[in-house]
Amino acid sequence: NNAGVGHVGPVESVGLEEMKKIFETNFFGVVRMIRALLPEMKRRRSGHIVVVSSVMGLQGVVFNDVYAASKFAVEGFCESLAVQLLQFNV
């Protein structure tokens, strides 16, 4: 599960619609893929979810504000999900 689009430049150079597109791909793309496969993994009580994020999901980088924010969102989502899915052996 890997998605990544971004915009390099100061935050004031990125319109809100462009920010939404970045989150739509980088965060909601990951969420949609996981949601599509998760019911079957839970039913089987096994599975692995592999998400390729970015170092910018752990540390922001100058002029990559929105990209970093979208990857931080992925990291937080996956950390929370991992705890929830332990009971399903996923």
Side-chain angles (χ1 to χ4, degrees):
N1 195 347
N2 180 15
V5 296
H7 175 92
V8 177
V11 69
E12 61 270 18
S13 71
V14 186
L16 286 178
E17 289 306 312
E18 181 66 20
M19 289 182 191
K20 289 177 184 179
K21 288 179 185 177
I22 291 167
F23 267 83
E24 185 63 35
T25 298
N26 296 358
F27 177 70
F28 290 109
V30 169
V31 171
R32 281 192 297 277
M33 178 63 76
I34 289 171
R35 286 182 57 154
L37 300 173
L38 197 52
E40 180 60 21
M41 290 181 183
K42 283 178 156 181
R43 188 191 66 72
R44 286 192 330 241
R45 300 192 65 78
S46 71
H48 297 280
I49 299 171
V50 178
V51 177
V52 179
S53 180
S54 171
V55 70
M56 283 189 253
L58 304 172
Q59 178 179 342
V61 175
V62 175
F63 295 133
N64 283 280
D65 322 66
V66 179
Y67 178 82
S70 70
K71 293 301 184 170
F72 266 86
V74 169
E75 294 289 335
F77 175 75
C78 290
E79 284 180 18
S80 297
L81 195 60
V83 174
Q84 296 172 49
L85 296 178
L86 287 173
Q87 65 184 316
F88 297 101
N89 197 36
V90 174

